[in-house]
Amino acid sequence: MTEFLIKNGHVYDPANGIFGDLMEIAVKDGIIVNPSELSPNPKVIDAGGGIVAPGGIDIHSHIAGPKVNTGRLIKPEDHIGTCKPASNGLRSQVGRSVPNVFKIGYGYAIMGYTTVAEAASPPLEARHTHEEMNDIPIIDKLTYIIADSNWLLLDYLVDGRGDLIEAYVAWLLRATKGYGIKIVDPGADWAWLHGKGMGIDIDYELPEYGISPKDILLGLGEAVEHLKLPHPIHVHCNRLGYPGNYETTLKTIELSNKYSKGLERPAMHVTHTQFTGYKGDSWITLGSGGEDIAKEVERTDSSVDLGQLVFGPTITMTADAPFEFVLYHLERGKWSFADIEAETSAGIVPYVYRKRNYVNTVQWCIGLEVALLVRDPWKVYITTDHPNAGPFTKYPEIMALLMSKKMREDFMKDLNQVALGRASLPSISRELSLEEIMIMMRASPARLLGMKFKGHLGEGAQADIAIYDLNPEKVDVHHDYEEVIKAFSRAKYTLKDGEIVVKDGEIVRELYGTTFYTDPKVPEDSIREVEKGLKEKFPKYYSISLSNYVIGEDELRKGRVVS
Amino acid sequence: MIAKQTLSLLLNTGRTIKQGISMEAEGKLSEAYADAVARIELNEDDMKALGITDGSLVEVISKEGSIKIRAFRSKEVKRGHAYVPMGPWANMIVDPQTMSLGMPNYKYTIINVRPSEGKPTSLIEILAHYNAIIPTEIEDIELRGGSQKVYEYMVCPFCGELCDHLKLEVVGNEIKKVIGGCANSVSKLRNYHKHRILRPLIREGGHFREVSLEEALRRAARILSSAKYPLLFGWSSTVNEAIRVGVELAEILRGVIDNTSVVCHGPTALGAQDVGTARSTLGIIRHKADYIVIWGSNPSASHQNHFSLWIFSRGKWIKGRKNRKVVVIDVRETPAARLADELVRVEPGKDYELITALRMAVRDLDIELPSVAGVPTETIYRLADEMKSAKYGVIFEGMGITMTGAKHRNVEELIKLAHDLNEWTRFVLIPMRGHYNVTGSDNVFLWTTGYPFGIDFSRGYPRMVPGVTTAPDLLMRGEVDAALIISSDPVAHFPKRAVEHLSKIPVITIDPKWSLTATISDVIIPSGIVGVECGGTAYRLDDVPLRIKSILPPPPGVLCDDEILRRLLEMVKEYRNEGGRKRGEGYS
Ligand code: SF4
Ligand SMILES: [Zn+2]
């Protein structure tokens, strides 16, 4: 039974209203406890005047599953310059944008992150996602399940029986051990199966079904809120990647107010908004819709994450298969796609973001603008949509950019000046505070995931703790951005479930975290009706048997239900 | 005196229906297996030219060696060509050259054939060449009667189709009935109890000695720990839970881990590394594919349920077989070709030319030749038009593509053809993966190392250099100094030169049944049969993951692959922790 007393740290625990106070944190058996509960001589961790905060939480990152693994397959060059041999009982690490499982787990832990949500799993291949997540060391994991082009769901939406939509959503999450419902360019993959679906808007009429993406958003939004799932619908908007798409994004966000039930968390999460925040009507006139989106997010029951662009080579991967088809035509390199029966599709295209490029510079601005213009830090999250807009390892750099106008100015010198001339970012003087950054990375994501035991340091919380070698009394985070990047890139300590896993930026212990999923309760009658429907339709729609589709609890290395 | 003539022919090797069945029912040391694979199939005219008839003995000579086998007439084989089923006989003569890809020239070896007298080359002779020990007695698990049980939705552990609708009727520990499975599946499952290895064995002098599992594992750990550069090979007929342990073992030993992809669809992965993929799950094919190309594959032998499940079947938009056009492209008239609407015969080794011509035709470019790769240019234009006007098309790609001519360049070009066709319609390419979990093996390798096969850990981190870090090359060059072979039989499937090296180094075999590789091994560790005695996760050829269930306990004292490997890994770790001090000494 390990006990620790963390001393001499500036504690940032926004959920409990603590911002930089010098106080002690006590850990016992993986849980945060009152210091009085510790035995007389606990092991002491000296924070050395640095920051003590709850472990970081990434609400959207592509870390496991068929897309990620296909990314590895088609990008062997991703290894170049990254190889780290196995040593001291740790596994070997390779890859930059699609790292191997070990590097993903170690990489997050080294930055003080302890929980990561896989962004999109096709239900039929969720077993694959779980297998990879089982093999990712240290961090806790969870996955969203793609549902928008799901034939069974579309059938229920057309029937319009809300109780059955809910029961099916509940059944799907239970069967796949999923955590939340993902919507990717709603309806587009159904259209893509027919060779259509490029750039569809929310009023598009889906072939054969006749309903629209808007109907899908409202139907699933309503079901998820009524079921009170821990996480709201997680939406990748229609027309992602198309100039002028910010209007579609605004129309999508607006829908959240239609079905909001005023739960503690937002009723809709709109993801990687950088990719869906474009003004203009062509790539030449591309502009930023960041300001409008920020306003709409504040006005509605919604939240956004950035999908912040990071310059350099990466790989894009999304269930937005028709968009990847378009991207393949722009980049003309490698392209992978897969159609998954009765459910979804996916596309993968390696991509390089270039500093001198006009479009890439506009994209870079939009992410930062959204983060700086949404005034409420509880509604916006830092992501790179790893690896779509860049690798997760660049989070410290993004945090520093948001906290330092000086860094932004230095950075912008190398970017496309025409694009900057049209952007509002250069004139934005807001610098986020350390407090706000801590909310965005820790407290707020826990709330968005409905995890009361995470994202804070109150008694009873899971003892996932990050300690950074950055004394807020001594370092001016708005000025000394190099210091900030250094500190957040390599945690002084990371504690996972009350055990020290990182010390001085190095992994010192390998353990395996928990996979969270949800198991919503619905009335027996509706479940029975859905199960009856499945017996009849499943063999027609799928190429495997219904009973083999269901993932057992024993298939998770360590599973835990959150409701 | 025409009868004494020698003919120079082009040798193609491949799998046959009989081969799979006899292997499962009788084992590779049986007469039935020899009958199935010790044969050469020739064109009638060539047989006449040689002055021989069905069943005549011929000598087959290549620059690698020679064998005597019986010749049979086959309508499927063109003049100037010859066909020998894959197996120890074919391996004595196939061209081992891999052209830096890991894949020997299984389908393109120049041979001389001449009539012969005397006796055919026996398996014993071949194995004697490798210094094998033929077990005197091969045991079956004793069948005990008992109550009847029925298991539904069982997953078949034979081929990459991973059919998951099998119904097994079991009485006691006997599998009485396999409903829904094809001949291969029935043969494997109903005979699960036959010719099993039931106790760990260690080779001593000229025979095998029975030992405890502990002792066998200890010996295996010592062999691996003291090797400078061990090879861990197989991994396509076991579950992911075992494969992930295997990767860790290879990493700790700083050896090489490779799977059977290297000799089947390795080039498919190499093609993907260069250009990407174009995939769908099989359900999509059933629902939507109205145009089906089967290229260099014979599912009628290798994936026997393939036609009935995905091509003859009814889907959401397709009523059945008559709504689909099926084209087989192959060098010979395969059984699958007889189920197709059209057979396009391509000259051996010329697939790349044909694919390139098709890509040109798809783009309406001029082909200024009357024919390409033996196919009339008119036909090529017609096929291209048909593909473009399909609603949803698929190319099922087999080893005829990956093993011949330009190998991975064929695949690359084929993927590009599928990519191109998506400008007009939807088109995908699905590899016909052979072993039931070779797809899972590639996947586990990918998520743990970033590479699909042929992975070297000599520097402590994974590297993949086809032709350098691939099993056949490493063996032929004599670079590895110990080997662990799991659920695979390189002695039956690798070229002679590779097997010769394998027979000279310490070999550990983990297998439920007697394989040819077991006969040359130093340590044999029996394992439970996946799908009957052991469970776990496996991936279908279209990447769909399935959970394989077990219904009976393994024989007493026998463990499942993952457990065996975990124990082995622990022992290897102990050896390493103790350093050289205890190396070579016992543990007791
Ligand atoms: S086709 Fe393959 S998986 Fe299906 S039953 Fe036959 S051997 Fe088994
Ligand atoms: Zn994403």
Side-chain angles (χ1 to χ4, degrees):
Chain A
M1 304 290 104
T2 331
E3 296 185 357
F4 290 112
L5 186 63
I6 303 170
K7 285 185 169 175
N8 195 19
H10 292 271
V11 175
Y12 284 82
D13 182 8
N16 293 309
I18 298 164
F19 293 100
D21 305 5
L22 271 172
M23 57 188 282
E24 294 178 345
I25 299 289
V27 174
K28 187 179 176 180
D29 301 340
I31 303 281
I32 294 181
V33 296
N34 191 298
S36 65
E37 285 181 39
L38 296 186
S39 50
N41 289 309
K43 282 183 212 155
V44 171
I45 296 176
D46 182 1
I51 292 169
V52 177
I57 301 173
D58 189 348
I59 51 117
H60 187 114
S61 178
H62 299 261
I63 52 166
K67 277 196 301 291
V68 179
N69 228 22
T70 304
R72 295 186 182 108
L73 172 66
I74 72 166
K75 208 175 173 231
E77 63 273 24
D78 200 54
H79 289 211
I80 296 170
T82 68
C83 307
K84 206 169 168 201
S87 69
N88 297 329
L90 299 182
R91 307 295 301 270
S92 57
Q93 302 173 57
V94 284
R96 190 183 311 273
S97 47
V98 267
N100 66 346
V101 282
F102 312 115
K103 189 170 177 189
I104 290 174
Y106 300 159
Y108 269 110
I110 284 171
M111 298 191 311
Y113 273 70
T114 50
T115 307
V116 181
E118 156 55 39
S121 242
L124 180 62
E125 295 179 355
R127 179 171 276 122
H128 177 165
T129 307
H130 283 295
E131 275 210 295
E132 277 193 42
M133 294 202 303
N134 283 343
D135 277 0
I136 298 178
I138 301 181
I139 55 174
D140 287 345
K141 298 134 292 200
L142 52 109
T143 182
Y144 310 132
I145 297 296
I146 303 166
D148 63 275
S149 284
N150 183 307
W151 303 0
L152 289 160
L153 180 89
L154 291 171
D155 292 349
Y156 285 122
L157 283 172
V158 167
D159 292 350
R161 291 258 316 265
D163 57 333
L164 296 189
I165 297 171
E166 278 172 39
Y168 174 67
V169 164
W171 179 86
L172 184 67
L173 289 172
R174 183 180 311 158
T176 58
K177 300 288 174 278
Y179 196 86
I181 290 294
K182 179 75 184 290
I183 297 177
V184 181
D185 193 355
D189 284 342
W190 166 261
W192 170 241
L193 198 53
H194 305 267
K196 300 175 184 142
M198 265 85 76
I200 62 171
D201 211 333
I202 68 167
D203 292 314
Y204 172 82
E205 191 178 300
L206 293 187
E208 298 184 26
Y209 278 107
I211 58 171
S212 67
K214 186 172 162 185
D215 297 327
I216 298 174
L217 287 159
L218 287 172
L220 279 170
E222 174 69 36
V224 166
E225 292 315 279
H226 195 247
L227 284 167
K228 297 197 173 65
L229 294 192
H231 186 61
I233 55 169
H234 194 110
V235 183
H236 155 144
C237 293
N238 288 122
R239 304 199 70 237
L240 176 138
Y242 286 84
N245 61 14
Y246 84 108
E247 286 182 7
T248 306
T249 306
L250 295 179
K251 283 187 274 180
T252 305
I253 296 175
E254 195 188 356
L255 298 177
S256 64
N257 273 4
K258 294 217 161 124
Y259 62 80
S260 163
K261 311 250 177 294
L263 303 184
E264 265 175 62
R265 50 150 182 81
M268 176 192 286
H269 179 73
V270 170
T271 189
H272 40 67
T273 181
Q274 170 272 120
F275 286 118
T276 62
Y278 305 153
K279 274 190 177 170
D281 49 19
S282 72
W283 291 113
I284 306 165
T285 60
L286 195 77
S288 164
E291 224 174 312
D292 303 68
I293 289 172
K295 277 198 197 117
E296 191 62 7
V297 169
E298 297 209 319
R299 194 185 70 80
T300 57
D301 194 7
S302 67
S303 61
V304 287
D305 69 81
L306 305 183
Q308 176 58 34
L309 187 137
V310 176
F311 293 102
T314 192
I315 186 165
T316 66
M317 53 179 64
T318 164
D320 194 344
F323 175 67
E324 291 284 359
F325 181 62
V326 174
L327 199 59
Y328 161 60
H329 286 83
L330 293 176
E331 197 72 355
R332 276 294 165 198
K334 301 179 194 182
W335 174 39
S336 265
F337 70 83
D339 294 336
I340 316 290
E341 66 207 46
E343 292 180 347
T344 180
S345 295
I348 305 169
V349 171
Y351 198 89
V352 183
Y353 296 110
R354 300 169 180 91
K355 286 191 173 173
R356 303 277 168 194
N357 180 288
Y358 174 82
V359 171
N360 296 161
T361 298
V362 174
Q363 291 178 301
W364 182 81
C365 290
I366 296 172
L368 297 177
E369 285 174 13
V370 170
L372 293 167
L373 294 172
V374 174
R375 275 160 307 179
D376 182 357
W378 289 87
K379 293 194 130 199
V380 58
Y381 311 92
I382 297 169
T383 68
T384 58
D385 188 16
H386 165 84
N388 282 295
F392 68 81
T393 45
K394 294 290 184 183
Y395 286 176
E397 198 172 281
I398 298 165
M399 286 152 52
L401 282 165
L402 292 173
M403 287 193 284
S404 168
K405 184 160 200 298
K406 177 167 174 284
M407 175 167 176
R408 296 200 289 270
E409 281 163 2
D410 291 351
F411 203 96
M412 281 190 280
K413 286 178 193 147
D414 294 334
L415 304 188
N416 184 293
Q417 298 302 313
V418 179
L420 290 174
R422 295 190 193 164
S424 46
L425 184 70
S427 61
I428 299 177
S429 55
R430 183 174 171 202
E431 293 180 322
L432 296 189
S433 64
L434 202 48
E435 288 79 0
E436 285 167 321
I437 288 287
M438 289 295 152
I439 293 170
M440 291 161 77
M441 282 170 43
R442 291 139 207 277
S444 169
R447 192 181 74 169
L448 185 66
L449 293 174
M451 291 178 161
K452 296 215 158 66
F453 49 91
K454 276 189 188 286
H456 71 98
L457 298 176
E459 283 170 35
Q462 189 184 15
D464 286 4
I465 303 168
I467 302 175
Y468 299 104
D469 196 6
L470 186 102
N471 188 332
E473 281 172 6
K474 293 193 179 137
V475 178
D476 177 357
V477 294
H478 306 302
H479 190 270
D480 305 325
Y481 60 82
E482 302 279 4
E483 290 280 310
V484 171
I485 295 171
K486 211 175 104 200
F488 284 111
S489 297
R490 291 165 61 85
K492 187 177 170 71
Y493 286 96
T494 304
L495 274 74
K496 179 78 194 72
D497 291 312
E499 301 288 347
I500 298 175
V501 290
V502 172
K503 188 164 188 288
D504 297 327
E506 300 286 341
I507 303 288
V508 291
R509 172 156 181 200
E510 185 182 86
L511 47 80
Y512 282 82
T514 304
T515 297
F516 292 97
Y517 63 98
T518 183
D519 187 4
K521 302 281 166 289
V522 280
E524 277 301 315
D525 293 357
S526 345
I527 270 285
R528 261 198 298 277
E529 201 168 334
V530 161
E531 278 172 355
K532 209 173 122 220
L534 283 169
K535 276 220 176 67
E536 185 216 316
K537 277 189 190 169
F538 198 94
K540 283 193 190 145
Y541 284 2
Y542 284 91
S543 64
I544 70 170
S545 314
L546 177 58
S547 62
N548 289 328
Y549 184 85
V550 178
I551 297 171
E553 163 75 25
D554 63 328
E555 296 187 51
L556 310 185
R557 189 172 199 138
K558 190 160 76 182
R560 176 170 163 191
V561 175
V562 173
S563 44
Chain B
M1 286 281 100
I2 300 165
K4 287 289 167 220
Q5 191 184 333
T6 296
L7 278 185
S8 177
L9 303 173
L10 192 58
L11 172 70
N12 178 13
T13 71
R15 281 200 198 119
T16 64
I17 302 179
K18 265 174 81 184
Q19 176 179 16
I21 296 173
S22 63
M23 189 171 86
E24 291 301 333
E26 312 288 338
K28 287 204 189 108
L29 293 163
S30 67
E31 293 278 323
Y33 177 70
D35 284 350
V37 301
R39 56 189 284 132
I40 184 165
E41 295 176 9
L42 300 170
N43 180 278
E44 189 164 10
D45 295 334
D46 287 335
M47 292 195 58
K48 270 195 202 127
L50 286 168
I52 56 168
T53 54
D54 251 8
S56 296
L57 195 68
V58 293
E59 183 171 16
V60 186
I61 308 145
S62 75
K63 66 178 185 357
E64 285 303 299
S66 77
I67 46 166
K68 286 183 185 177
I69 43 177
R70 302 207 178 274
F72 295 90
R73 184 168 4 121
S74 169
K75 282 207 237 22
E76 295 170 11
V77 179
K78 266 195 186 180
R79 272 209 86 160
H81 295 259
Y83 183 81
V84 176
M86 283 176 181
W89 284 268
N91 294 334
M92 296 300 282
I93 47 175
V94 290
D95 178 5
Q97 180 57 246
T98 81
M99 286 129 78
S100 290
L101 292 173
M103 166 82 76
N105 278 334
Y106 288 116
K107 291 192 174 285
Y108 204 86
T109 302
I110 315 275
I111 52 168
N112 284 318
V113 178
R114 65 170 180 238
S116 176
E117 275 153 23
K119 279 207 221 147
T121 311
S122 72
L123 183 60
I124 305 286
E125 283 170 69
I126 295 175
L127 290 178
H129 182 73
Y130 301 133
N131 196 18
I133 301 171
I134 312 291
T136 43
E137 200 189 348
I138 296 182
E139 287 176 89
D140 292 351
I141 292 177
E142 198 186 324
L143 295 180
R144 291 168 272 102
S147 58
Q148 172 165 342
K149 285 208 182 111
V150 176
Y151 299 91
E152 288 193 277
Y153 305 115
M154 297 294 291
V155 179
C156 171
F158 189 93
C159 85
E161 295 281 333
L162 224 56
C163 295
D164 81 326
H165 58 266
L166 267 50
K167 191 166 160 183
L168 302 187
E169 284 182 25
V170 179
V171 174
N173 65 346
E174 181 179 6
I175 299 180
K176 284 272 189 194
K177 247 192 190 163
V178 179
I179 299 155
C182 69
N184 282 333
S185 159
V186 173
S187 183
K188 173 159 186 177
L189 291 166
R190 291 217 48 212
N191 295 303
Y192 90 93
H193 59 288
K194 287 202 183 151
H195 42 90
R196 294 289 295 267
I197 307 168
L198 295 174
R199 278 162 295 274
L201 301 169
I202 285 181
R203 185 187 182 112
E204 257 170 19
H207 58 269
F208 288 117
R209 180 169 68 88
E210 277 182 21
V211 294
S212 68
L213 180 61
E214 178 71 16
E215 189 179 342
L217 284 168
R218 209 185 297 141
R219 177 74 71 93
R222 199 154 55 216
I223 289 172
L224 292 172
S225 303
S226 49
K228 287 200 179 71
Y229 194 38
L231 167 69
L232 280 56
F233 181 80
W235 311 107
S236 54
S237 294
T238 187
V239 291
N240 290 357
E241 287 76 358
I243 298 165
R244 46 162 63 100
V245 184
V247 175
E248 187 172 358
L249 190 57
E251 188 179 80
I252 270 200
L253 293 166
R254 299 213 164 196
V256 174
I257 189 162
D258 198 3
N259 65 26
T260 61
S261 287
V262 70
V263 288
C264 63
H265 273 281
T268 299
L270 298 178
Q273 287 184 331
D274 284 342
V275 297
T277 62
R279 306 285 300 264
S280 84
T281 61
L282 289 164
I284 296 274
I285 303 307
R286 194 183 81 201
H287 287 308
K288 209 159 162 55
D290 57 351
Y291 201 83
I292 291 171
V293 180
I294 299 172
W295 199 321
S297 171
N298 179 22
S300 304
S302 55
H303 302 69
Q304 295 174 12
N305 275 349
H306 194 71
F307 273 93
S308 64
L309 288 176
W310 321 118
I311 298 174
F312 295 157
S313 54
R314 184 193 177 97
K316 194 170 170 74
W317 294 281
I318 302 274
K319 295 217 167 53
R321 171 68 179 86
K322 62 181 185 307
N323 296 132
R324 314 188 201 259
K325 165 132 196 203
V326 181
V327 179
V328 165
I329 304 181
D330 214 303
V331 294
R332 54 188 196 115
E333 194 195 325
T334 57
R338 283 173 228 137
L339 300 171
D341 297 302
E342 186 175 349
L343 167 67
V344 176
R345 277 183 99 141
V346 55
E347 284 173 18
K350 296 270 172 69
D351 303 82
Y352 184 82
E353 285 84 338
L354 182 58
I355 306 165
T356 308
L358 273 168
R359 285 190 70 194
M360 290 174 71
V362 162
R363 290 152 183 261
D364 297 327
L365 298 176
D366 289 334
I367 300 169
E368 288 164 357
L369 289 167
S371 73
V372 177
V375 182
T377 303
E378 264 167 59
T379 308
I380 295 173
Y381 278 113
R382 177 176 51 77
L383 291 171
D385 277 343
E386 288 176 8
M387 288 175 183
K388 278 155 76 172
S389 48
K391 289 213 174 70
Y392 198 102
V394 57
I395 302 164
F396 288 113
E397 156 238 3
M399 294 200 271
I401 284 286
T402 61
M403 284 186 171
T404 58
K407 295 174 184 170
H408 72 303
R409 297 279 171 210
N410 294 338
V411 184
E412 202 180 298
E413 199 67 5
L414 214 46
I415 298 168
K416 291 309 291 177
L417 174 63
H419 280 175
D420 291 353
L421 284 163
N422 278 279
E423 305 291 340
W424 284 271
T425 178
R426 298 299 322 284
F427 229 95
V428 298
L429 176 88
I430 301 178
M432 295 296 291
R433 305 304 308 266
H435 295 293
Y436 74 84
N437 195 29
V438 66
T439 306
S441 183
D442 284 10
N443 269 288
V444 175
F445 282 9
L446 275 165
W447 77 62
T448 48
T449 74
Y451 295 124
F453 67 96
I455 300 145
D456 158 276
F457 280 104
S458 60
R459 293 186 187 171
Y461 57 82
R463 291 188 310 148
M464 174 195 184
V465 187
V468 177
T469 61
T470 33
D473 308 85
L474 288 166
L475 287 169
M476 282 187 283
R477 285 196 304 266
E479 288 181 21
V480 285
D481 58 352
L484 178 137
I485 310 294
I486 179 160
S487 58
S488 170
D489 199 358
V491 172
H493 299 292
F494 276 12
K496 188 176 99 181
R497 265 197 255 173
V499 181
E500 278 169 356
H501 183 69
L502 199 59
S503 70
K504 287 180 198 139
I505 59 176
V507 174
I508 301 145
T509 287
I510 302 175
D511 210 302
K513 293 201 172 194
W514 277 98
S515 65
L516 301 187
T517 305
T519 66
I520 68 152
S521 297
D522 297 273
V523 181
I524 304 175
I525 300 172
S527 58
I529 288 200
V530 173
V532 180
E533 299 158 346
C534 300
T537 311
Y539 287 23
R540 202 166 67 179
L541 56 83
D542 58 350
D543 287 328
V544 171
L546 282 157
R547 188 82 170 159
I548 300 184
K549 288 159 276 189
S550 63
I551 51 173
L552 294 166
V558 173
L559 304 176
C560 295
D561 290 330
D562 52 335
E563 185 58 30
I564 294 170
L565 288 161
R566 260 195 299 274
R567 292 198 188 185
L568 189 56
L569 177 67
E570 285 316 309
M571 285 194 186
V572 166
K573 280 183 181 170
E574 279 176 44
Y575 269 102
R576 291 179 60 85
N577 289 342
E578 291 169 18
R581 193 163 47 85
K582 279 223 169 168
R583 186 170 281 181
E585 290 170 31
Y587 254 68
S588 45

